[in-house]
Amino acid sequence: MILASTRDILSSLPDQIIYHIFSFLGANDTARLGAVSRRFNQLCTSSPYLNFVADFDSEYSDPSCLRTRYVDFCSYVNKVLRWREKTGGGLQRLHVHWCSCKQRRFDIGETAVNSWFTIATKCGVEELDMLVHVDPWRGYSLPGCVYNCESLRALKLNLQMGRFNFRVAGWDWLKDLWLDSVTVEDMYFGQRISEWCKSLKRLTLEDVDGISGGLNMTTSSLEELTISGCDFGFTGGNFNISSSSFKALTIYRCQFKAQRHVNLNCPSLENLTVHDSEFGKCFLCKISCESLEKLRVCGSSFLEACHFRIACPNVGQVMISSCRFAGTCVLNINSFSLQDLTVSECNFSSLGSALQYLPPVKDFQAVPSLRRHIIVKAAKLEKLNISSSDEYSYEFPLKIDAPNLKVLWWAGDPVDFGFLKQDMFMSLTSARIYIEPSCHHKSVESDRHCKRSKSLIYCAAKLLQCLSEARFLRINTWPVEIFFMQNDYPIVFKNLQNLVLLSDGSLADQIPFIASFLKGMPNLKKLIISCFDKSHELSDPNLINFLGLNSRSFNVTEVSRDLKIVKIEAVQAQQCMQNDGRRRLKL
C-alpha cells in the first residue's frame, strides 16, 4: 500500500530558503509558481531576486500585439518595483531583458530604464542585469545613482550594440562588470576601468566594439578577464595588463587586425587561453608570470609573423592546437617546470597562400626574415607532442632547443628537420613517430617521384639521426624506406632495446629496408612488426634471416592469427626472463 502525503513540503520551508530556490528560476517559472497559491504569489513579489523577461517571436509581429505587450510589461515592472520601494524590502538581483523587438518604437526608453535603476538602488540592489535596445545616435548613460550605490557588486549591461557612454567618477564597490553587445568608442577604456573600479575582480567584454586604442590596465584587484567576440579594428595598439592579483585571461572569437603587442606582467596569472581568434599583423606576446601553469592557444589564425616569449618558471603545460600560421612562428619558453609541450593539428601555410599579407613574389627574396620556420626553445622541456597536417610542411624548417627532452611524439606530415642536431636529443628515452606526406598521387610513377624528392629524403635522414639515443622507438616504415632509397649505411641506435615498426604498405617490399635499418641496433632485445594488412611473410620460418638477424640470437615468440603482428625477442632476453621466473618460484 502506498501512502500519499498531503503535506506541502515547499510551503513549510522558511522564506529565506524559498527565496534561495527562486534565485535559480527564470522569469516564466517564477510567474507560474506565483499562480499556485496566495502565499507563493506574495513570496514571488517580495523575493529579493526579481526576473523580468520579454521574448518576442512570430506571434508578436503585429503592431497591436507589440503595443499591448509593451504596455503590460512596463506596467508590471513598475508595479512590482514601486511596491518594493513602498514596503522597503531588500533587493539582491534585478534582471530585466527586453529581447528581440522587431519594431524599435516599442523599445524601452532610457527614462523607464533609469527609473527602474533608481528604485533598485534605493532597495540596496547587489546585482543589476539589463538587456535593452537604446537609441544608436544618443547612446546610453547610467544614472548617477548606479555609480553611487554602495551595495552594488555586479553589473551586466547588454545594449544590443548601442553606444555606452562610460562616465564614471568613482565605482569603488563594484566587483563584477559584464559588458555585452555594446559600443564603447573610448580609446582610454582600460585606464578608466583601472582608475575608477578599485575593487573590480572580474571583467567580461563580449561583442564589444570601439576599443580601438588597445587595452591597457594597471590594477591591484582584477582577477579574471574574459574577452569574447571583440573586434579591435585596424588601428594599432598594445595590450598591456599589469596586476598583482590577476589569475585568468581568456580571449575567444576576437579579431586583432592591426599590429599588436601583448604584455602580461601578472605574477599571479595561472591560466591563459586564446581560442578561435584572428591576428592580422605581427603579433608579439610577452608573458612574465611566476604562477602561470597552463597556456593554451587553440583554433586561431596568425596571418603574419608571431612570437611568444614566455618567461614563466612554473609553466608546466603549453598546448598549441588547430592553429594556422602564415608567417614565422617563434616559441621562446623559459621555464624550469615545463613538462608537456603539444603542437597538434596546426597548418603552416605555403608561400603562395599568404601573399595577401606579404610583399609580391618578385620582392619576397629581398625580405629573408619573412621565411617561415618553427622554433621551440625550452631548457627544461621533457615531453614534446607535435601533430602536423599540412602537405607542404616539409618546406618549413623546425628548430628545437630542448636538451632535457625525454619523450617525443610526432604524427602527421614531415617538416624540414634540417636545423635539428643529434646532440639536441641526448636525453631522449622514448619516441613515437608516425610521419608520412598527406599528398595523394594518381599514379605509381608520380608517387615514386615524390618519395625520391631530395627534401623528403633529407628530412627522413635528419629525423632518424636525432632519434639515435632513444631506448624505445615506435615508428612507421615510411621514413625508414625513404632514408634507404639513397643511403647504404645504417644509423647506429646504440641504446635502442625495444622497437615497434608499423608497416603501412607491402611488407614484402619493405623487408630489405627494415633489414638495413636493424643493422644499426646492436643492443636490440625486442622487435614488434605490426602490419595494417594481412602479411603472410610474418609466418615464414625464414623471417629472422630475411630481416638480417641471427637465428641463434633471436626467436619468433608470437604471431597473431590474422597475420598482422609478429613479436621477435632476443634469446638472451628470453633466458633472463626465464631465470627470473625460476628465482621467484624458488623464493
Side-chain angles (χ1 to χ4, degrees):
M1 181 176 66
I2 301 177
L3 297 177
S5 175
T6 59
R7 182 185 178 187
D8 187 354
I9 300 177
L10 185 60
S11 298
S12 62
L13 295 174
D15 291 353
Q16 295 302 323
I17 296 180
I18 296 179
Y19 289 152
H20 183 68
I21 295 174
F22 284 178
S23 67
F24 298 98
L25 300 178
N28 295 332
D29 294 332
T30 304
R32 294 189 188 99
L33 191 59
V36 172
S37 65
R38 180 177 298 177
R39 181 169 184 265
F40 276 1
N41 185 32
Q42 295 175 351
L43 289 172
C44 288
T45 55
S46 63
S47 171
Y49 306 96
L50 296 182
N51 299 322
F52 305 101
V53 177
D55 288 317
F56 295 89
D57 48 28
S58 58
E59 66 175 305
Y60 295 108
S61 59
D62 183 70
S64 60
C65 294
L66 289 174
R67 179 182 296 276
T68 302
R69 187 71 182 273
Y70 170 78
V71 173
D72 292 344
F73 183 84
C74 292
S75 300
Y76 180 67
V77 175
N78 284 328
K79 178 181 177 181
V80 174
L81 289 177
R82 294 294 181 187
W83 183 87
R84 180 61 56 87
E85 181 184 16
K86 182 179 180 180
T87 58
L91 187 61
Q92 288 187 247
R93 182 180 67 208
L94 175 61
H95 177 101
V96 180
H97 280 199
W98 180 259
C99 309
S100 304
C101 181
K102 297 181 180 180
Q103 298 192 27
R104 295 307 181 192
R105 58 177 172 162
F106 296 118
D107 283 327
I108 298 177
E110 180 177 346
T111 303
V113 173
N114 288 348
S115 66
W116 297 340
F117 277 157
T118 301
I119 298 175
T121 55
K122 290 181 180 180
C123 296
V125 67
E126 296 182 10
E127 179 182 346
L128 285 175
D129 185 349
M130 189 70 63
L131 187 156
V132 292
H133 184 273
V134 298
D135 189 331
W137 299 104
R138 294 180 55 190
Y140 175 71
S141 300
L142 288 169
C145 61
V146 176
Y147 296 121
N148 299 326
C149 182
E150 297 184 8
S151 62
L152 187 63
R153 297 293 180 267
L155 173 64
K156 182 175 182 180
L157 196 61
N158 186 326
L159 302 181
Q160 301 184 46
M161 297 314 299
R163 190 173 76 253
F164 178 44
N165 302 322
F166 193 66
R167 301 173 184 173
V168 182
W171 217 342
D172 295 336
W173 306 280
L174 194 67
K175 293 185 177 181
D176 194 340
L177 177 60
W178 188 322
L179 298 181
D180 185 0
S181 301
V182 302
T183 301
V184 177
E185 294 185 355
D186 187 353
M187 63 184 302
Y188 301 107
F189 175 76
Q191 291 94 318
R192 300 188 196 279
I193 291 288
S194 303
E195 295 174 2
W196 296 334
C197 301
K198 299 295 185 180
S199 302
L200 191 66
K201 293 184 178 296
R202 287 170 295 276
L203 175 61
T204 301
L205 305 177
E206 183 173 350
D207 295 324
V208 175
D209 194 12
I211 308 178
S212 57
L215 188 65
N216 301 305
M217 301 184 67
T218 301
T219 171
S220 59
S221 62
L222 190 64
E223 296 181 358
E224 298 179 15
L225 174 59
T226 301
I227 306 175
S228 174
C230 297
D231 188 349
F232 288 88
F234 291 94
T235 304
N238 293 335
F239 203 96
N240 301 318
I241 299 178
S242 178
S243 174
S244 58
S245 57
F246 195 57
K247 295 182 179 180
L249 172 61
T250 302
I251 300 176
Y252 176 63
R253 293 190 303 105
C254 293
Q255 288 191 345
F256 300 85
K257 297 178 181 179
Q259 181 174 349
R260 296 286 170 176
H261 289 178
V262 176
N263 299 309
L264 301 179
N265 185 13
C266 308
S268 300
L269 184 66
E270 297 177 357
N271 291 294
L272 172 59
T273 302
V274 180
H275 191 60
D276 285 346
S277 297
E278 183 176 292
F279 301 86
K281 294 293 184 179
C282 296
F283 177 73
L284 173 61
C285 183
K286 297 180 181 180
I287 306 174
S288 179
C289 309
E290 296 179 0
S291 301
L292 184 65
E293 298 177 355
K294 295 181 180 179
L295 170 61
R296 299 184 181 92
V297 182
C298 307
S300 299
S301 297
F302 299 85
L303 304 184
E304 287 194 8
C306 64
H307 193 159
F308 292 89
R309 295 180 183 176
I310 305 171
C312 306
N314 294 314
V315 66
Q317 182 184 54
V318 177
M319 181 177 70
I320 301 177
S321 63
S322 303
C323 293
R324 175 176 174 262
F325 298 94
T328 301
C329 173
V330 179
L331 289 178
N332 193 333
I333 304 174
N334 185 5
S335 171
F336 297 103
S337 306
L338 186 63
Q339 299 290 328
D340 188 355
L341 171 61
T342 300
V343 182
S344 63
E345 299 300 328
C346 291
N347 185 298
F348 298 92
S349 303
S350 60
L351 300 180
S353 63
L355 290 180
Q356 55 181 326
Y357 294 99
L358 296 176
V361 177
K362 62 180 181 180
D363 298 330
F364 188 80
Q365 293 181 355
V367 193
S369 59
L370 293 177
R371 186 188 180 192
R372 282 168 279 281
H373 55 279
I374 311 165
I375 301 176
V376 178
K377 293 183 179 180
K380 300 297 181 180
L381 180 66
E382 294 185 358
K383 181 180 179 181
L384 175 61
N385 186 335
I386 299 180
S387 175
S388 52
S389 58
D390 186 355
E391 62 180 286
Y392 297 103
S393 58
Y394 63 88
E395 298 178 357
F396 303 97
L398 169 69
K399 183 177 181 180
I400 299 177
D401 186 3
N404 292 308
L405 187 68
K406 295 180 180 180
V407 179
L408 174 63
W409 289 17
W410 192 295
D413 288 86
V415 300
D416 184 356
F417 297 101
F419 285 87
L420 294 182
K421 297 180 181 179
Q422 187 173 353
D423 57 358
M424 290 182 180
F425 297 141
M426 297 300 294
S427 302
L428 189 67
T429 59
S430 176
R432 298 172 180 266
I433 309 296
Y434 194 95
I435 61 172
E436 186 176 15
S438 59
C439 52
H440 301 284
H441 302 280
K442 297 181 180 180
S443 64
V444 177
E445 185 64 27
S446 59
D447 181 64
R448 290 177 180 175
H449 178 74
C450 178
K451 286 183 177 180
R452 294 184 182 275
S453 169
K454 292 183 179 180
S455 298
L456 293 180
I457 294 175
Y458 184 65
C459 288
K462 295 296 295 185
L463 174 63
L464 293 178
Q465 289 175 357
C466 293
L467 302 177
S468 60
E469 297 294 331
R471 296 181 181 179
F472 171 85
L473 176 61
R474 178 185 177 95
I475 189 171
N476 63 315
T477 55
W478 182 87
V480 177
E481 181 180 357
I482 293 297
F483 175 77
F484 285 104
M485 277 187 171
Q486 291 191 0
N487 293 277
D488 298 327
Y489 297 98
I491 297 175
V492 178
F493 292 78
K494 59 182 180 180
N495 298 323
L496 191 65
Q497 297 181 1
N498 296 291
L499 174 64
V500 178
L501 280 174
L502 305 177
S503 175
D504 46 10
S506 172
L507 182 61
D509 297 336
Q510 295 173 351
I511 283 181
F513 302 112
I514 296 176
S516 299
F517 188 46
L518 296 177
K519 289 180 180 179
M521 304 176 186
N523 297 312
L524 185 65
K525 294 181 179 180
K526 186 175 182 179
L527 169 64
I528 297 177
I529 300 178
S530 178
C531 304
F532 290 168
D533 301 321
K534 186 176 182 180
S535 300
H536 293 280
E537 290 80 9
L538 299 182
S539 61
D540 194 316
N542 296 318
L543 178 62
I544 297 291
N545 296 327
F546 291 157
L547 294 175
L549 300 175
N550 191 339
S551 58
R552 296 181 180 180
S553 303
F554 289 88
N555 288 330
V556 175
T557 58
E558 183 180 347
V559 179
S560 62
R561 294 183 179 179
D562 57 0
L563 297 181
K564 291 185 178 181
I565 300 177
V566 62
K567 295 182 180 180
I568 301 174
E569 295 186 14
V571 175
Q572 294 180 352
Q574 289 180 294
Q575 291 177 351
C576 291
M577 293 178 62
Q578 293 175 358
N579 293 335
D580 290 341
R582 292 172 184 173
R583 291 173 184 172
R584 292 174 183 174
L585 290 175
K586 290 180 180 180
L587 293 175

